[in-house]
Amino acid sequence: MRFHIVTDSSVQFAHPQLAAQYPLTIVPNTTVVGGKRYRNGVDVTPEKLLDAINTHPTPPQTIAPSVDEFVAAYTKLAHHTDVILSLHPSRSLSDSYAHAQAAAQQLDGHADVHVIDSRTTDVALGMVIRATVRAIESYNDPETIVSRVRGSVDHIYAAFYTESTQFLVANKLLAPSHAVLGAMTGTMPILSVEDGEVAIIEKVRNRTQAVDRLVEFAIEFDDIEDALIVQSGTFMSEQSRALQDRLSVEFPQLHFPHAPYGTALAAIIGPNATGIALMERDLNADDEDDA
């Protein structure tokens, strides 16, 4: 049975070249910066788009692929694919899932499409896609694969600290008065992405405290299967290096690569954030395999 994965350009991978090795189609989002529209990866490179976001005073707008764009992608794939697994950023953060659902309903009977809300975004969505590839390699039954993918979604977590609050205020994640107070007291918010929602969970006074809190966040999980340090640029920053060093002490058996986060996440949390995304091992799935 032939499987193919569809997602949108909210996704990020630690090694972008891996995407070319997966049975994967990425339908581009559109990002509006300063009134100009860019189709991600089509009209502009991710690096140049992030530069535009960094230099523009107002947050960008991310527009999910339309229903028609997903219909076109599914229709093309249906000619040489048996099952389409369509994975999307959290429905709370994007219209991608809703548009994909509508597209799949239009093609009911003409394409076998399973639309899944990853309840996350960016590199964590990339982790879900890697888990999907592993499931495809291990099983040939669509119901089992979808069940495994949904199981991995239940074990994805991410946390960040950001050094600017402008985008958080614009996205109504932080009240303007709290942003002013934070600027006066020199505090930075720690955010979590869990169950599809971005929320501020606490505040810290400096980068050292921020790294401490991110390490504490990771230690809460007993069995980490996949982990990635997330930052605002390509080259490893001082903050990411400090976080990597601390995590390597706590988890000597794990490797913690780093990757830049993409424009869709930057539009929410801003261009100056550092964090960690991780996937906890699904022990229930392991028990099922052993049974």
Side-chain angles (χ1 to χ4, degrees), residues 175-187 203:
S177 59
H178 290 180
V180 172
L181 181 61
M184 293 173 59
T185 58
T187 57
K203 295 180 181 179

mmCIF file of all heavy atoms in Angstrom, residues 175-187 203:
data_model
loop_
_atom_site.group_PDB
_atom_site.id
_atom_site.type_symbol
_atom_site.label_atom_id
_atom_site.label_comp_id
_atom_site.label_asym_id
_atom_site.label_seq_id
_atom_site.Cartn_x
_atom_site.Cartn_y
_atom_site.Cartn_z
ATOM 1 N N ALA A 175 -1.068 40.847 27.873
ATOM 2 C CA ALA A 175 -1.725 42.143 27.965
ATOM 3 C C ALA A 175 -0.689 43.257 27.828
ATOM 4 O O ALA A 175 0.442 43.122 28.313
ATOM 5 C CB ALA A 175 -2.447 42.276 29.294
ATOM 6 N N PRO A 176 -1.029 44.362 27.159
ATOM 7 C CA PRO A 176 -0.075 45.465 27.011
ATOM 8 C C PRO A 176 0.486 45.944 28.347
ATOM 9 O O PRO A 176 1.682 46.254 28.449
ATOM 10 C CB PRO A 176 -0.909 46.553 26.324
ATOM 11 C CG PRO A 176 -1.958 45.801 25.570
ATOM 12 C CD PRO A 176 -2.284 44.617 26.435
ATOM 13 N N SER A 177 -0.350 45.988 29.382
ATOM 14 C CA SER A 177 0.123 46.443 30.687
ATOM 15 C C SER A 177 1.184 45.507 31.251
ATOM 16 O O SER A 177 2.148 45.944 31.893
ATOM 17 C CB SER A 177 -1.049 46.561 31.661
ATOM 18 O OG SER A 177 -1.707 45.309 31.808
ATOM 19 N N HIS A 178 1.018 44.205 31.003
ATOM 20 C CA HIS A 178 2.002 43.236 31.478
ATOM 21 C C HIS A 178 3.306 43.359 30.701
ATOM 22 O O HIS A 178 4.390 43.150 31.262
ATOM 23 C CB HIS A 178 1.447 41.820 31.349
ATOM 24 C CG HIS A 178 0.338 41.529 32.311
ATOM 25 N ND1 HIS A 178 -0.312 40.311 32.369
ATOM 26 C CD2 HIS A 178 -0.235 42.302 33.270
ATOM 27 C CE1 HIS A 178 -1.237 40.341 33.305
ATOM 28 N NE2 HIS A 178 -1.216 41.539 33.860
ATOM 29 N N ALA A 179 3.191 43.696 29.412
ATOM 30 C CA ALA A 179 4.398 43.905 28.614
ATOM 31 C C ALA A 179 5.184 45.104 29.130
ATOM 32 O O ALA A 179 6.414 45.067 29.237
ATOM 33 C CB ALA A 179 4.033 44.096 27.145
ATOM 34 N N VAL A 180 4.473 46.167 29.472
ATOM 35 C CA VAL A 180 5.132 47.355 30.020
ATOM 36 C C VAL A 180 5.788 47.024 31.348
ATOM 37 O O VAL A 180 6.941 47.403 31.616
ATOM 38 C CB VAL A 180 4.118 48.503 30.187
ATOM 39 C CG1 VAL A 180 4.760 49.668 30.934
ATOM 40 C CG2 VAL A 180 3.607 48.961 28.825
ATOM 41 N N LEU A 181 5.088 46.279 32.188
ATOM 42 C CA LEU A 181 5.638 45.897 33.483
ATOM 43 C C LEU A 181 6.867 45.011 33.308
ATOM 44 O O LEU A 181 7.862 45.173 34.025
ATOM 45 C CB LEU A 181 4.577 45.161 34.304
ATOM 46 C CG LEU A 181 5.001 44.704 35.711
ATOM 47 C CD1 LEU A 181 5.396 45.912 36.556
ATOM 48 C CD2 LEU A 181 3.880 43.924 36.368
ATOM 49 N N GLY A 182 6.797 44.097 32.340
ATOM 50 C CA GLY A 182 7.936 43.236 32.080
ATOM 51 C C GLY A 182 9.154 44.023 31.626
ATOM 52 O O GLY A 182 10.285 43.739 32.019
ATOM 53 N N ALA A 183 8.922 45.039 30.787
ATOM 54 C CA ALA A 183 10.026 45.887 30.334
ATOM 55 C C ALA A 183 10.634 46.668 31.496
ATOM 56 O O ALA A 183 11.863 46.857 31.575
ATOM 57 C CB ALA A 183 9.541 46.830 29.241
ATOM 58 N N MET A 184 9.791 47.100 32.417
ATOM 59 C CA MET A 184 10.275 47.868 33.564
ATOM 60 C C MET A 184 11.081 46.995 34.535
ATOM 61 O O MET A 184 12.069 47.440 35.123
ATOM 62 C CB MET A 184 9.094 48.506 34.295
ATOM 63 C CG MET A 184 8.381 49.588 33.502
ATOM 64 S SD MET A 184 6.875 50.167 34.329
ATOM 65 C CE MET A 184 7.546 50.768 35.884
ATOM 66 N N THR A 185 10.645 45.743 34.697
ATOM 67 C CA THR A 185 11.300 44.847 35.658
ATOM 68 C C THR A 185 12.345 43.953 35.014
ATOM 69 O O THR A 185 13.043 43.212 35.714
ATOM 70 C CB THR A 185 10.260 43.973 36.356
ATOM 71 O OG1 THR A 185 9.535 43.207 35.366
ATOM 72 C CG2 THR A 185 9.274 44.818 37.154
ATOM 73 N N GLY A 186 12.461 44.003 33.671
ATOM 74 C CA GLY A 186 13.456 43.202 32.979
ATOM 75 C C GLY A 186 13.146 41.722 32.932
ATOM 76 O O GLY A 186 14.058 40.887 32.877
ATOM 77 N N THR A 187 11.861 41.358 32.943
ATOM 78 C CA THR A 187 11.487 39.948 32.907
ATOM 79 C C THR A 187 11.134 39.504 31.492
ATOM 80 O O THR A 187 10.720 40.301 30.653
ATOM 81 C CB THR A 187 10.285 39.675 33.824
ATOM 82 O OG1 THR A 187 9.183 40.514 33.424
ATOM 83 C CG2 THR A 187 10.638 39.946 35.270
ATOM 84 N N LYS A 203 7.473 33.792 34.218
ATOM 85 C CA LYS A 203 8.405 34.806 33.743
ATOM 86 C C LYS A 203 9.731 34.652 34.477
ATOM 87 O O LYS A 203 9.762 34.217 35.633
ATOM 88 C CB LYS A 203 7.840 36.215 33.952
ATOM 89 C CG LYS A 203 6.587 36.485 33.124
ATOM 90 C CD LYS A 203 6.047 37.882 33.359
ATOM 91 C CE LYS A 203 4.773 38.112 32.541
ATOM 92 N NZ LYS A 203 4.211 39.462 32.764
#
